[in-house]
C-alpha cells in the first residue's frame, strides 16, 4: 500500500492500528511514520516509539536498518501519502474536497454537519489541510466512512494538485479567491489557478461548486491549461442573482443568521453563525448536501447544529460579561472586511471595538492592503480601533482618514496593547479580535475574557 518492503518483522503478522508521526503521541499498535522536518528528524525517535508500543515503523531506505519491525521506503512522507491514497481507495469512501482563500474550514464544518445527518462522515480536524495534514486525516478515517470532507490548503502552485490527485474528490468546492498567500503566488489570477488545481484529481462525472461572484474562477476554467475531469457538472453560488444559488433574504440576529435562498424558496433556514460571508459558505454546503440527496428536513437540522472550528468569528463571553468576537485564527483583507461587517451590525452595546493585527503573506502591496482596510473603517462600524504589529500601523494610518482623533491606538507591544485595552473596555462593549495566525491574537482574547473589567 505504501510501496515499501518489510524488514525485521520475523514471520508473524503484525496488526497495525492507526498512524502516528509524533513520538510523544504513540498509541498501542500504531505505525510510527518518521518525518524529517525543520527542527527534527522523526527517525531519531523510532526506537523509543517501538519501546512505547508502536507495532512498526516506516523507515527511509538510505538509513541503516530500522530498530525493530519496519517497512523500508524511499521517502517516508511520500510513502505516507501513498498509504493514505491506497487506504482511501480500499475503503471506497467518497471525497468532498474544499479549497479557497477564505472559508475552507468553515465550509468543511458546514458540509460535515449537513452530510452527517444522513451518512457516516469523516472530516479534517482543525486545519490539517496540507501535504502532511491531509494524508494524516485520511489515515485517521474509520474504514466504514461513507464520505470524507477534506480541506485542501496551499501557499504555492501544485500543492492542491498533489492533494487532489491523492484524494481524488468526487465533489469539489472553491469558496472564493482572496489575497491570502499573494506573497508566494504573486497575483490573484495565480491564486485562482492554484485553487482550480483541485479539478486535476477529480473523479469523472464529479460536481464542481464554486463562487460565481469571482470572475477569475470562470476565467481560469476557460484556460486550456486547466485540467478538468470528463463529465464535470458545475454549480455556482454567491450573492449575485446570476448564480445557481444566492440568498434571497438575510436577517442578522445576535447569535444567528436566518436566510432564504433561491434554492430553498420561501423556507427560512437558521444558521448559528454570524456574517453574510457565512451565509455564502452555507450555500456551498447546501449544494453538496442536495447533490448527495440529503432531505430538506435534515438540511435544516444539520445547519442549525453546525459546530464551527474555534476562532472563526466565535462569540466568547468574558467573566465581566463583555462580548468578544474571536476571529483570531487568520486574516486577510477580504476576511477583515467580512468580520467588520459582523461588528457593524451589532446593536445594543456601549461601544464597538476592533483589535486588528497584521495580515501576513500579502506580498509587495502589503502596506497598501493594510491602509485600505483602515480606510474601510467608519464611525458607524467601529467606535475604537486598536492595531497590533508593524504593518497594522498602516491600518491606523488609513483609519485616521475617517475615524475621529483619540479613537485609534497603534501598538507593537502586545502586553502594552492589552493593558490599555483593558483600561478602556466595559462589560457592555463588543470587541472584535482579528489578525493572521502568526500574530497569535488569541492571547488578547484570553486576557480580556479573564478580566473583570471592574470600574
Ligand atoms: C512535520 C510536522 O508535523 N511538524 C509539526 C511539528 O513541527 P516541529 O517543528 O515541532 O517538528 P519538525 O517538523 O521539525 O519535526 C519533524 C517530525 O518529528 C516529529 N517529532 C518531533 C519531536 C519529537 O520529540 N518527536 C517527534 O516525533 C514531529 O512530530 C514531526 O513529525 O510540530 C508543530 C507544532 O505542533 C507543527 O506545527 C508542525 O506541523 C507542520 C507545520 C505541518 O505541516 N503539520 C500538518 C499536520 C498541518 O496540516 N498543519 C496545519 C497547518 C497547515 C497549513 O499551514 N496550511 C496552510 C496551507 C498550506 C501551506 C503549505 N505550503 C504548507 O507548507 O503547509 C493554510 O494556509 O491553511 C496545522 O497545524 O494547523
Ligand atoms: N466566504 C468568506 N469570505 C470572506 N471571509 C471569510 C469567508 N469565510 C470565512 N471568512 C473569514 O476567514 C476567517 C477564516 O475562516 P476559515 O478558517 O473558515 O477559512 P480558511 O480558508 O480555512 O482559512 P485558512 O486558510 O487560514 O486556514 C474567518 O474567521 C472569517 O473572518
Ligand atoms: C502558514 C500559513 N498557512 C498561514 O497560516 N499563514 C498566515 C498568513 C500566518 O502564518 O499567519
Amino acid at each position: 500500500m505504501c510501496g515499501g518492503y518489510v524488514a525485521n518483522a520475523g514471520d508473524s503478522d503484525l496488526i497495525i492500528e492507526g498512524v502516528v508521526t509524533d513520538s510523544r503521541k504513540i498509541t498501542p499498535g500504531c505505525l510510527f511514520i518518521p518525518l524529517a522536518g525543520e527542527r527534527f528528524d522523526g527517525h531519531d525517535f523510532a526506537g523509543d516509539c517501538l519501546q512505547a508500543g508502536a507495532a512498526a515503523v516506516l523507515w527511509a531506505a538510505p538509513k541503516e536498518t530500522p530498530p525493530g519491525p519496519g517497512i523500508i521506503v524511499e521517502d517516508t512522507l511520500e510513502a505516507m501519502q501513498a498509504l493514505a491514497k491506497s487506504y482511501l481507495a480500499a475503503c471506497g469512501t467518497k471525497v468532498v474536497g474544499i479549497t479557497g482563500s477564505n472559508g475552507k474550514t468553515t465550509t468543511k464544518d458546514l458540509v460535515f454537519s449537513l452530510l452527517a445527518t444522513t451518512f457516516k462522515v469523516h472530516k479534517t480536524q482543525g486545519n490539517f489541510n496540507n501535504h502532511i495534514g491531509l494524508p494524516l486525516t485520511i489515515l485517521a478515517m474509520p474504514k466504514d466512512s461513507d464520505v470524507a470532507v477534506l480541506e485542501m490548503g496551499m501557499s504555492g502552485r501544485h500543492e492542491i494538485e498533489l492533494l487532489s490527485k491523492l484524494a481524488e474528490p468526487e465533489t469539489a468546492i472553491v469558496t472564493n479567491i482572496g489575497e491570502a498567500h499573494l506573497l508566494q503566488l504573486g497575483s490573484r489570477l495565480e491564486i485562482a489557478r492554484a485553487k482550480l488545481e483541485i479539478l486535476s484529481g477529480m473523479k469523472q462525472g464529479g460536481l464542481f461548486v464554486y463562487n460565481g461572484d469571482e470572475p477569475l474562477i470562470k476565467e481560469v476554467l476557460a484556460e486550456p491549461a486547466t485540467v478538468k475531469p470528463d463529465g464535470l457538472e458545475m454549480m455556482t453560488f454567491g450573492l449575485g442573482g446570476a448564480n445557481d444559488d444566492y440568498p434571497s433574504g438575510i436577517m442578522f440576529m445576535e447569535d444567528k443568521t436566518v436566510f432564504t435562498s433561491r434554492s430553498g424558496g420561501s423556507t427560512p433556514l437558521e444558521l448559528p453563525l454570524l456574517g453574510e460571508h457565512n451565509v455564502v459558505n452555507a450555500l456551498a454546503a447546501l449544494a453538496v448536501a442536495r447533490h448527495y440527496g440529503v432531505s430538506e428536513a435534515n438540511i435544516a437540522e444539520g445547519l442549525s447544529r453546525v459546530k464551527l472550528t474555534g476562532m472563526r468569528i466565535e462569540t466568547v463571553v468574558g467573566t465581566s460579561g463583555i462580548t468578544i468576537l474571536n476571529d483570531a485564527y487568520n486574516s486577510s483583507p477580504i476576511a477583515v472586511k467580512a468580520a467588520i461587517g459582523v461588528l457593524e451590525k451589532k446593536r445594543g452595546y456601549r461601544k464597538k471595538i476592533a483589535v486588528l493585527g497584521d495580515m501576513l503573506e500579502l506580498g509587495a502591496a502589503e502596506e497598501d492592503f493594510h491602509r485600505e482596510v483602515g480606510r474601510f473603517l467608519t464611525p458607524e462600524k467601529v467606535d475604537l480601533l486598536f492595531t497590533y504589529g508593524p504593518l497594522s500601523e498602516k491600518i491606523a494610518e488609513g483609519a485616521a482618514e475617517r475615524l475621529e482623533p483619540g479613537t485609534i491606538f497603534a501598538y507593537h507591544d502586545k502586553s502594552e496593547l492589552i493593558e490599555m485595552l483593558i483600561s478602556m473596555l466595559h462589560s457592555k462593549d463588543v470587541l472584535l479580535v482579528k489578525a493572521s495566525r502568526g500574530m497569535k491574537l488569541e492571547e488578547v482574547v484570553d486576557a480580556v475574557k479573564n478580566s473583570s473589567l471592574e470600574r
Side-chain angles (χ1 to χ4, degrees), residues 138-200:
I138 291 170
L139 291 166
M141 179 183 78
K143 60 186 174 188
D144 60 347
S145 300
D146 300 313
V147 185
V149 185
L150 302 180
E151 180 178 337
M152 298 183 178
M154 70 91 202
S155 62
R157 286 302 303 270
H158 311 299
E159 293 182 7
I160 298 284
E161 178 185 3
L162 182 146
L163 302 177
S164 181
K165 287 180 175 174
L166 190 163
E168 295 183 337
E170 181 185 270
T171 303
I173 296 176
V174 173
T175 59
N176 75 349
I177 305 298
E179 311 90 353
H181 306 310
L182 256 179
L183 172 68
Q184 299 90 332
L185 280 299
S187 70
R188 290 184 65 244
L189 177 59
E190 269 304 286
I191 291 174
R193 287 178 178 139
K195 300 297 185 186
L196 264 71
E197 288 169 12
I198 198 168
L199 302 175
S200 64

Side-chain angles (χ1 to χ4, degrees), residues 25-59:
K25 299 172 183 170
I26 291 300
T27 49
C30 73
L31 172 69
F32 175 65
I33 299 184
L35 301 178
E38 286 180 14
R39 298 194 306 150
F40 303 98
D41 181 344
H43 286 84
D44 298 338
F45 307 99
D48 299 343
C49 293
L50 290 163
Q51 289 291 324
V57 297
L58 287 197
W59 194 258

Side-chain angles (χ1 to χ4, degrees), residues 319-342:
T319 49
S320 68
I322 189 169
T323 300
I324 306 168
L325 301 177
N326 179 1
D327 204 6
Y329 180 74
N330 215 335
S331 188
S332 60
I334 286 185
V336 171
K337 291 172 184 170
I340 292 292
V342 175

